[in-house]
Amino acid sequence: MHIRFIRTLLFALVIAMLSVSVTAFAQVAMGVVVTFARPPLPIYEQPLCPGEGYIWTPGYWAYGDDFDDYYWVPGTWVLAPEIGFLWTPGYWAWGGESFVFYDGYWGPRVGFYGGIVYGFGYLGEGYEGGRWENGRFFYNTTVNNINITEIHNVYNARVNNTTVTRVSYNGGNGGINRRPKPEEEAAAREKHIPPASVQIEHAHAARTNPELRASVNMGKPSVAATPKPGAFKDRAVVPAKEAGGSYTPPANRGKNQPRTNATAARPENRPENNASRPSTPVHPRDLPPAARPTAPNTGNPKLDQKYQQQQEKQFGKQEQERQKLQQKQEQEDQRLARQKADEGKKQQTEQRHQQQTQQLQQKHEQQQRQTQEKQEPRQKQDKQQPPNRDKPPN
């Protein structure tokens, strides 16, 4: 009896910890911030819904730190990871000194997405594209492209969209001036899960396509929307009809722009909404490149060489750990693909990968701080040695 009680208590603790972890996802995130704005949202049509249970996720401009450019992530239809869950789109926001991206998430209610008018039911607040009833998703044909001969759970409701804007960011010069409402703040505190694995792969495929970069397409991507995630070659792919407005990329784009890793609370949970939420790394490849340690300069060549060797050894070990974890996670993803696992299983795996990646990042940052703390006292001591009193002044 006593053993059974202990097992029950442990199980309850595990469930509580998982719930806290899932909720925390929507409150704090890490990623890259940039200081120049992205293009307006392009004008495009929605592909035909591929089947019941698919929910529209609008396209958005993402940022590639490695090639210093924005790129378009096409809008696409995605199977809801859980019955009753809706998609809160990601958005860019100005935080006073830089723009940062807030990644989207799945939850029982649509939260704050910056007031951005993505269209197709996302009119800057909430979602008018459909609703869940008795475990089935019903589509509003006013804003969705639905084949009603195949999908019968539909309705027709007028939506009020008096403001037509292609602005793609919140706050700052020319951005959407909108703060979260109390119900959006409440939605941010509810259970959330991050983008599904197919959404992450979809965004990664867009990142590797040069034609989707803003400096190439000038705000008018050739693939504006797809019928399913990753279906960039499908016959139903929709190109942009036109750019949402004029866009001239900065001459240096992001090369000389300050970019940094940042941690930010969601605007819904802060007094002001001009802060930013970067996307959360799921795999080691999503982490920013590890910075090679700078050469020590204590004034003692032998000591500098010793410190340099310690730093290089640590850097090499950390790179190996990154690669090892990346390889392990890729093998797990491939195994799930071979097993044709359902979205629920894939989602659980992605959440575990996200936790592993963040733990590895935190471990490496702690190691770097410890190494720096060990070296700094000795460096200061060497630099503060009193001059040789026996040597005459110049």
Side-chain angles (χ1 to χ4, degrees):
M1 184 70 178
H2 182 65
I3 294 176
R4 181 180 298 176
F5 173 77
I6 293 175
R7 288 177 177 174
T8 303
L9 180 61
L10 289 174
F11 179 77
L13 288 173
V14 169
I15 295 298
M17 291 174 66
L18 288 174
S19 299
V20 171
S21 176
V22 170
T23 304
F25 162 79
Q27 297 175 347
V28 178
M30 299 190 69
V32 176
V33 297
V34 291
T35 58
F36 61 101
R38 73 264 344 104
L41 297 172
I43 300 172
Y44 63 95
E45 296 180 353
Q46 186 185 66
L48 191 68
C49 180
E52 288 193 23
Y54 281 85
I55 293 180
W56 180 251
T57 61
Y60 61 94
W61 291 105
Y63 183 79
D65 185 61
D66 50 342
F67 49 82
D68 298 301
D69 201 358
Y70 289 105
Y71 62 94
W72 179 252
V73 179
T76 192
W77 290 98
V78 179
L79 273 174
E82 290 189 23
I83 293 176
F85 269 30
L86 299 169
W87 175 247
T88 295
Y91 69 98
W92 287 91
W94 175 251
E97 297 181 353
S98 58
F99 290 98
V100 184
F101 185 70
Y102 285 147
D103 205 1
Y105 60 88
W106 293 94
R109 287 194 292 174
V110 175
F112 183 67
Y113 52 93
I116 312 302
V117 182
Y118 287 111
F120 311 111
Y122 297 97
L123 307 179
E125 176 184 344
Y127 178 55
E128 301 292 337
R131 59 176 181 258
W132 288 95
E133 292 183 8
N134 299 321
R136 298 180 68 190
F137 189 77
F138 283 71
Y139 299 87
N140 185 356
T141 55
T142 301
V143 293
N144 284 312
N145 186 7
I146 306 295
N147 184 349
I148 59 176
T149 61
E150 295 183 2
I151 300 177
H152 305 290
N153 40 314
V154 298
Y155 64 97
N156 192 311
R158 176 179 293 183
V159 298
N160 295 320
N161 185 18
T162 57
T163 304
V164 179
T165 174
R166 311 307 300 178
V167 176
S168 59
Y169 58 95
N170 177 280
N173 185 20
I176 300 293
N177 183 17
R178 188 185 178 297
R179 296 173 61 87
K181 293 185 175 181
E183 55 267 31
E184 292 171 321
E185 295 176 344
R189 294 188 291 269
E190 295 176 340
K191 175 187 175 183
H192 296 150
I193 57 177
S197 58
V198 292
Q199 292 176 274
I200 297 170
E201 294 166 2
H202 179 77
H204 179 70
R207 182 188 183 100
T208 59
N209 187 340
E211 294 182 0
L212 296 182
R213 297 176 187 177
S215 61
V216 175
N217 58 52
M218 304 305 291
K220 184 184 176 183
S222 57
V223 180
T226 66
K228 289 184 179 181
F232 289 74
K233 302 294 185 180
D234 194 282
R235 289 185 299 176
V237 160
V238 175
K241 297 171 64 175
E242 58 181 288
S246 60
Y247 176 71
T248 303
N252 60 353
R253 298 210 292 277
K255 293 182 179 179
N256 298 321
Q257 303 290 340
R259 301 184 304 280
T260 180
N261 291 328
T263 300
R266 283 188 57 82
E268 299 94 311
N269 301 326
R270 297 180 55 171
E272 72 282 355
N273 78 318
N274 282 335
S276 348
R277 169 172 56 98
S279 57
T280 305
V282 176
H283 302 287
R285 65 168 177 261
D286 302 324
L287 294 171
R292 187 170 290 276
T294 57
N297 183 20
T298 65
N300 185 331
K302 290 185 177 180
L303 191 60
D304 288 345
Q305 183 179 11
K306 177 184 176 181
Y307 286 166
Q308 184 71 27
Q309 290 174 349
Q310 292 175 350
Q311 291 176 349
E312 290 294 338
K313 183 178 179 180
Q314 184 184 76
F315 178 81
K317 184 178 180 181
Q318 290 180 347
E319 282 296 294
Q320 289 178 355
E321 290 177 348
R322 273 197 186 197
Q323 295 172 7
K324 184 177 179 180
L325 180 58
Q326 178 64 41
Q327 184 179 12
K328 177 184 176 182
Q329 292 180 353
E330 287 178 351
Q331 290 173 351
E332 291 179 355
D333 289 337
Q334 292 170 2
R335 185 166 58 253
L336 288 176
R338 290 194 300 268
Q339 295 172 350
K340 297 182 180 180
D342 58 27
E343 287 301 319
K345 181 67 173 178
K346 291 180 180 179
Q347 188 64 51
Q348 291 176 358
T349 302
E350 288 302 292
Q351 290 175 353
R352 180 160 48 81
H353 287 177
Q354 183 182 81
Q355 185 179 26
Q356 291 171 345
T357 301
Q358 292 177 341
Q359 288 174 346
L360 181 67
Q361 184 183 35
Q362 293 170 358
K363 172 187 171 183
H364 288 175
E365 290 175 348
Q366 183 179 11
Q367 289 175 342
Q368 292 168 359
R369 287 195 299 269
Q370 290 174 346
T371 299
Q372 186 176 7
E373 290 171 358
K374 289 179 180 179
Q375 294 181 358
E376 279 184 350
R378 183 65 181 271
Q379 292 181 24
K380 291 179 181 178
Q381 180 181 354
D382 291 339
K383 288 182 179 180
Q384 294 174 359
Q385 287 291 338
N388 189 345
R389 299 298 182 184
D390 296 330
K391 182 178 180 180
N394 293 331

Coordinates of all heavy atoms in Angstrom, one line a residue, residues 118-171:
Y118 N -3.1 38.7 -41.2 CA -2.5 37.7 -42.1 C -3.6 37.3 -43.1 O -3.2 36.7 -44.1 CB -2.1 36.5 -41.3 CG -0.8 36.7 -40.5 CD1 -0.8 36.8 -39.2 CD2 0.4 36.8 -41.2 CE1 0.4 36.9 -38.4 CE2 1.6 37.0 -40.5 CZ 1.6 37.1 -39.1 OH 2.7 37.2 -38.4
G119 N -4.8 37.6 -42.9 CA -5.9 37.2 -43.8 C -6.4 35.7 -43.6 O -5.8 35.0 -42.7
F120 N -7.3 35.3 -44.3 CA -7.9 33.9 -44.3 C -8.4 33.6 -42.8 O -8.2 32.5 -42.3 CB -6.8 32.9 -44.7 CG -6.2 33.3 -46.0 CD1 -4.9 33.6 -46.1 CD2 -7.0 33.2 -47.2 CE1 -4.3 34.0 -47.3 CE2 -6.4 33.6 -48.4 CZ -5.1 33.9 -48.5
G121 N -9.0 34.6 -42.2 CA -9.5 34.4 -40.9 C -8.7 35.0 -39.8 O -9.2 35.2 -38.7
Y122 N -7.4 35.3 -40.0 CA -6.5 35.9 -39.1 C -6.5 37.4 -39.4 O -5.8 37.9 -40.2 CB -5.1 35.4 -39.1 CG -5.0 33.9 -38.8 CD1 -5.0 32.9 -39.8 CD2 -4.9 33.5 -37.5 CE1 -5.0 31.6 -39.5 CE2 -4.9 32.1 -37.2 CZ -4.9 31.2 -38.2 OH -4.8 29.8 -37.9
L123 N -7.4 38.1 -38.7 CA -7.7 39.5 -39.0 C -7.1 40.5 -38.0 O -7.5 41.6 -37.8 CB -9.2 39.8 -39.1 CG -9.9 38.8 -40.1 CD1 -11.4 39.1 -40.1 CD2 -9.3 38.9 -41.5
G124 N -6.0 40.0 -37.3 CA -5.3 40.8 -36.3 C -5.7 40.5 -34.9 O -5.0 40.9 -33.9
E125 N -6.9 39.8 -34.7 CA -7.4 39.4 -33.4 C -8.2 38.2 -33.5 O -9.1 38.1 -34.3 CB -8.2 40.6 -32.8 CG -8.8 40.2 -31.4 CD -9.7 41.3 -30.9 OE1 -9.7 42.4 -31.4 OE2 -10.5 41.0 -30.0
G126 N -7.9 37.2 -32.8 CA -8.6 35.9 -32.8 C -8.5 35.2 -34.1 O -7.6 35.5 -34.9
Y127 N -9.5 34.3 -34.4 CA -9.5 33.6 -35.6 C -11.0 33.4 -36.1 O -11.8 32.9 -35.4 CB -8.9 32.2 -35.4 CG -8.9 31.3 -36.7 CD1 -8.3 31.8 -37.9 CD2 -9.4 30.1 -36.6 CE1 -8.3 31.0 -39.0 CE2 -9.4 29.2 -37.7 CZ -8.8 29.7 -38.9 OH -8.9 28.9 -40.0
E128 N -11.3 33.9 -37.3 CA -12.6 33.8 -37.9 C -12.7 32.7 -38.9 O -13.7 32.7 -39.7 CB -13.0 35.2 -38.5 CG -13.0 36.3 -37.5 CD -14.0 36.2 -36.5 OE1 -15.0 35.5 -36.7 OE2 -13.9 36.8 -35.4
G129 N -11.7 31.9 -39.0 CA -11.7 30.9 -40.1 C -12.4 29.6 -39.8 O -12.6 28.8 -40.7
G130 N -12.7 29.3 -38.6 CA -13.4 28.1 -38.2 C -13.5 27.9 -36.7 O -13.0 28.7 -35.9
R131 N -14.2 26.8 -36.3 CA -14.3 26.5 -34.9 C -14.5 25.0 -34.7 O -14.9 24.3 -35.6 CB -15.6 27.2 -34.4 CG -16.9 26.9 -35.1 CD -18.1 27.6 -34.4 NE -19.3 27.2 -35.1 CZ -19.9 28.0 -35.9 NH1 -19.4 29.2 -36.2 NH2 -21.1 27.6 -36.5
W132 N -14.2 24.5 -33.5 CA -14.4 23.1 -33.1 C -15.8 22.9 -32.6 O -16.2 23.7 -31.7 CB -13.3 22.7 -32.1 CG -11.9 22.6 -32.7 CD1 -11.0 23.5 -32.7 CD2 -11.4 21.4 -33.3 NE1 -9.8 23.1 -33.3 CE2 -10.1 21.8 -33.7 CE3 -11.9 20.2 -33.6 CZ2 -9.2 20.9 -34.3 CZ3 -11.0 19.3 -34.3 CH2 -9.7 19.6 -34.6
E133 N -16.4 21.8 -33.0 CA -17.7 21.4 -32.5 C -17.8 19.9 -32.4 O -17.6 19.2 -33.4 CB -18.9 21.9 -33.4 CG -19.0 23.4 -33.3 CD -20.2 23.9 -34.2 OE1 -21.0 23.0 -34.6 OE2 -20.4 25.1 -34.3
N134 N -18.0 19.4 -31.2 CA -18.1 17.9 -31.0 C -16.9 17.1 -31.6 O -17.1 16.1 -32.3 CB -19.4 17.4 -31.6 CG -20.6 18.1 -30.9 OD1 -20.6 18.3 -29.7 ND2 -21.6 18.4 -31.7
G135 N -15.7 17.6 -31.4 CA -14.5 16.9 -31.9 C -14.2 17.1 -33.4 O -13.3 16.5 -33.9
R136 N -15.0 17.9 -34.1 CA -14.7 18.1 -35.5 C -14.5 19.6 -35.8 O -15.1 20.5 -35.1 CB -15.9 17.6 -36.4 CG -16.2 16.1 -36.3 CD -17.3 15.7 -37.1 NE -17.0 15.9 -38.6 CZ -17.9 15.8 -39.5 NH1 -19.2 15.6 -39.2 NH2 -17.6 15.9 -40.8
F137 N -13.7 19.9 -36.7 CA -13.4 21.3 -37.1 C -14.3 21.7 -38.2 O -14.4 21.1 -39.3 CB -12.0 21.5 -37.5 CG -11.6 23.0 -37.6 CD1 -11.4 23.7 -36.5 CD2 -11.5 23.6 -38.9 CE1 -11.0 25.1 -36.6 CE2 -11.1 24.9 -39.0 CZ -10.9 25.7 -37.9
F138 N -15.1 22.8 -38.0 CA -16.0 23.4 -39.0 C -15.4 24.6 -39.6 O -14.9 25.5 -38.9 CB -17.3 23.7 -38.4 CG -18.2 22.5 -38.1 CD1 -17.9 21.6 -37.1 CD2 -19.3 22.3 -38.9 CE1 -18.7 20.5 -36.8 CE2 -20.1 21.2 -38.7 CZ -19.8 20.3 -37.6
Y139 N -15.4 24.7 -41.0 CA -14.7 25.7 -41.7 C -15.7 26.8 -42.1 O -16.8 26.6 -42.6 CB -14.1 25.2 -43.0 CG -13.0 24.1 -42.7 CD1 -13.4 22.8 -42.5 CD2 -11.7 24.4 -42.5 CE1 -12.4 21.8 -42.2 CE2 -10.7 23.5 -42.3 CZ -11.1 22.2 -42.1 OH -10.2 21.2 -41.8
N140 N -15.2 28.1 -42.0 CA -16.0 29.2 -42.5 C -15.6 29.5 -43.9 O -14.5 29.9 -44.2 CB -15.7 30.5 -41.6 CG -16.5 31.7 -42.0 OD1 -17.3 31.6 -43.0 ND2 -16.3 32.8 -41.3
T141 N -16.5 29.2 -44.8 CA -16.2 29.2 -46.3 C -16.1 30.7 -46.7 O -15.7 30.9 -47.9 CB -17.3 28.5 -47.1 OG1 -18.6 29.1 -46.7 CG2 -17.4 27.1 -46.8
T142 N -16.5 31.7 -45.9 CA -16.3 33.1 -46.3 C -14.8 33.4 -46.5 O -14.4 34.2 -47.3 CB -16.9 34.0 -45.2 OG1 -18.3 33.7 -45.1 CG2 -16.8 35.4 -45.6
V143 N -14.0 32.8 -45.7 CA -12.5 33.1 -45.7 C -11.6 32.0 -46.0 O -10.4 32.1 -46.1 CB -12.1 33.7 -44.3 CG1 -12.8 35.1 -44.0 CG2 -12.4 32.7 -43.2
N144 N -12.2 30.8 -46.2 CA -11.4 29.6 -46.5 C -11.8 29.0 -47.9 O -12.9 29.1 -48.3 CB -11.6 28.5 -45.5 CG -10.8 28.8 -44.2 OD1 -9.6 29.2 -44.2 ND2 -11.5 28.7 -43.1
N145 N -10.8 28.4 -48.5 CA -11.0 27.7 -49.8 C -11.3 26.3 -49.6 O -10.4 25.5 -49.4 CB -9.7 27.9 -50.7 CG -9.9 27.4 -52.1 OD1 -11.0 27.0 -52.5 ND2 -8.8 27.3 -52.9
I146 N -12.6 25.9 -49.5 CA -13.0 24.6 -49.1 C -13.8 23.9 -50.3 O -14.7 24.6 -50.9 CB -13.9 24.6 -47.9 CG1 -13.1 25.4 -46.7 CG2 -14.3 23.2 -47.4 CD1 -11.9 24.7 -46.2
N147 N -13.5 22.7 -50.5 CA -14.3 21.9 -51.5 C -15.5 21.3 -50.7 O -15.4 20.3 -50.0 CB -13.5 20.8 -52.1 CG -14.2 20.0 -53.2 OD1 -15.5 20.2 -53.3 ND2 -13.5 19.2 -53.9
I148 N -16.7 21.9 -50.8 CA -17.8 21.6 -50.0 C -18.4 20.2 -50.4 O -19.3 19.7 -49.7 CB -18.9 22.7 -49.9 CG1 -19.4 23.0 -51.4 CG2 -18.3 23.9 -49.3 CD1 -20.5 24.0 -51.4
T149 N -18.0 19.7 -51.6 CA -18.5 18.4 -52.0 C -17.8 17.3 -51.3 O -18.3 16.2 -51.2 CB -18.4 18.2 -53.5 OG1 -17.0 18.3 -53.9 CG2 -19.1 19.3 -54.3
E150 N -16.6 17.6 -50.7 CA -15.9 16.6 -50.0 C -15.9 16.9 -48.5 O -15.8 15.9 -47.7 CB -14.4 16.5 -50.5 CG -14.3 16.1 -52.0 CD -12.9 15.9 -52.4 OE1 -12.0 16.2 -51.6 OE2 -12.6 15.6 -53.6
I151 N -15.9 18.1 -48.1 CA -15.9 18.5 -46.7 C -17.2 19.2 -46.4 O -17.6 20.2 -47.0 CB -14.7 19.5 -46.4 CG1 -13.4 18.8 -46.7 CG2 -14.8 19.9 -44.9 CD1 -12.2 19.8 -46.4
H152 N -18.0 18.5 -45.6 CA -19.4 19.0 -45.3 C -19.5 19.8 -44.0 O -20.6 20.4 -43.8 CB -20.4 17.8 -45.3 CG -20.3 16.9 -46.5 ND1 -20.7 17.4 -47.7 CD2 -19.8 15.7 -46.7 CE1 -20.6 16.4 -48.7 NE2 -20.0 15.4 -48.1
N153 N -18.5 19.7 -43.1 CA -18.6 20.4 -41.9 C -18.1 21.9 -42.1 O -17.0 22.3 -41.8 CB -17.8 19.8 -40.8 CG -16.5 19.2 -41.3 OD1 -16.4 18.6 -42.3 ND2 -15.4 19.5 -40.5
V154 N -19.1 22.7 -42.7 CA -18.8 24.0 -43.1 C -19.9 25.0 -42.6 O -21.0 24.5 -42.3 CB -18.6 24.2 -44.6 CG1 -17.4 23.4 -45.1 CG2 -19.8 23.8 -45.4
Y155 N -19.6 26.2 -42.6 CA -20.7 27.2 -42.3 C -20.2 28.5 -43.1 O -19.1 28.6 -43.6 CB -20.8 27.5 -40.8 CG -19.6 28.1 -40.1 CD1 -19.5 29.4 -39.9 CD2 -18.6 27.2 -39.7 CE1 -18.4 30.0 -39.2 CE2 -17.5 27.8 -39.0 CZ -17.4 29.1 -38.8 OH -16.3 29.6 -38.2
N156 N -21.1 29.5 -43.1 CA -20.8 30.7 -43.9 C -21.2 31.9 -42.9 O -22.3 32.1 -42.6 CB -21.7 30.8 -45.1 CG -21.2 31.9 -46.0 OD1 -21.0 33.0 -45.6 ND2 -21.0 31.6 -47.3
A157 N -20.1 32.6 -42.5 CA -20.3 33.7 -41.6 C -19.5 34.9 -42.1 O -18.3 34.8 -42.4 CB -19.9 33.3 -40.1
R158 N -20.2 36.0 -42.1 CA -19.5 37.3 -42.5 C -18.5 37.7 -41.5 O -18.7 37.5 -40.3 CB -20.5 38.4 -42.8 CG -19.9 39.7 -43.1 CD -20.9 40.8 -43.4 NE -21.7 40.5 -44.6 CZ -22.6 41.3 -45.0 NH1 -22.9 42.4 -44.4 NH2 -23.3 41.0 -46.1
V159 N -17.4 38.2 -41.9 CA -16.3 38.7 -41.0 C -16.1 40.2 -41.2 O -16.3 40.7 -42.4 CB -15.0 37.9 -41.2 CG1 -15.2 36.5 -40.9 CG2 -14.4 38.1 -42.6
N160 N -15.8 40.9 -40.2 CA -15.6 42.3 -40.3 C -14.1 42.6 -40.4 O -13.4 42.4 -39.4 CB -16.2 43.0 -39.1 CG -17.7 42.9 -39.0 OD1 -18.4 43.0 -40.0 ND2 -18.2 42.7 -37.8
N161 N -13.7 43.0 -41.5 CA -12.3 43.4 -41.8 C -12.2 44.7 -42.5 O -12.0 44.8 -43.7 CB -11.6 42.3 -42.6 CG -10.1 42.5 -42.8 OD1 -9.5 43.3 -42.0 ND2 -9.5 41.9 -43.8
T162 N -12.5 45.7 -41.7 CA -12.5 47.1 -42.2 C -11.1 47.6 -42.5 O -10.9 48.5 -43.3 CB -13.2 48.0 -41.3 OG1 -12.6 48.0 -40.0 CG2 -14.7 47.6 -41.1
T163 N -10.1 47.1 -41.8 CA -8.7 47.6 -42.0 C -7.9 46.6 -42.9 O -7.7 45.5 -42.5 CB -8.0 47.7 -40.6 OG1 -8.8 48.6 -39.8 CG2 -6.6 48.3 -40.8
V164 N -7.5 47.1 -44.0 CA -6.7 46.3 -44.9 C -5.3 46.8 -44.9 O -5.0 48.0 -45.2 CB -7.2 46.4 -46.4 CG1 -6.4 45.5 -47.3 CG2 -8.7 45.9 -46.4
T165 N -4.4 46.0 -44.3 CA -3.0 46.4 -44.2 C -2.1 45.2 -44.5 O -2.5 44.1 -44.2 CB -2.7 46.9 -42.8 OG1 -1.3 47.2 -42.7 CG2 -3.1 45.9 -41.7
R166 N -0.9 45.5 -45.1 CA 0.0 44.4 -45.3 C 1.2 44.6 -44.4 O 2.2 43.9 -44.6 CB 0.5 44.5 -46.8 CG -0.6 44.6 -47.9 CD -1.6 43.6 -47.7 NE -1.1 42.2 -47.9 CZ -1.8 41.1 -47.8 NH1 -3.1 41.2 -47.5 NH2 -1.2 39.9 -48.0
V167 N 1.1 45.4 -43.4 CA 2.2 45.6 -42.4 C 2.5 44.3 -41.7 O 1.6 43.6 -41.2 CB 1.9 46.7 -41.4 CG1 3.0 46.8 -40.3 CG2 1.7 48.0 -42.1
S168 N 3.8 43.9 -41.6 CA 4.2 42.6 -41.1 C 4.8 42.6 -39.7 O 5.4 41.6 -39.3 CB 5.1 41.9 -42.1 OG 6.3 42.7 -42.3
Y169 N 4.7 43.7 -39.0 CA 5.3 43.7 -37.7 C 4.6 44.6 -36.7 O 3.8 45.5 -37.2 CB 6.8 44.1 -37.7 CG 7.0 45.5 -38.4 CD1 7.2 46.6 -37.6 CD2 7.1 45.7 -39.7 CE1 7.4 47.9 -38.1 CE2 7.3 46.9 -40.3 CZ 7.4 48.0 -39.5 OH 7.7 49.2 -40.1
N170 N 4.8 44.4 -35.4 CA 4.1 45.2 -34.4 C 5.1 46.2 -33.8 O 6.2 45.8 -33.5 CB 3.6 44.2 -33.3 CG 2.9 44.9 -32.1 OD1 3.6 45.4 -31.3 ND2 1.6 45.0 -32.1
G171 N 4.6 47.4 -33.5 CA 5.4 48.4 -32.9 C 6.4 49.0 -33.8 O 6.6 48.7 -35.0

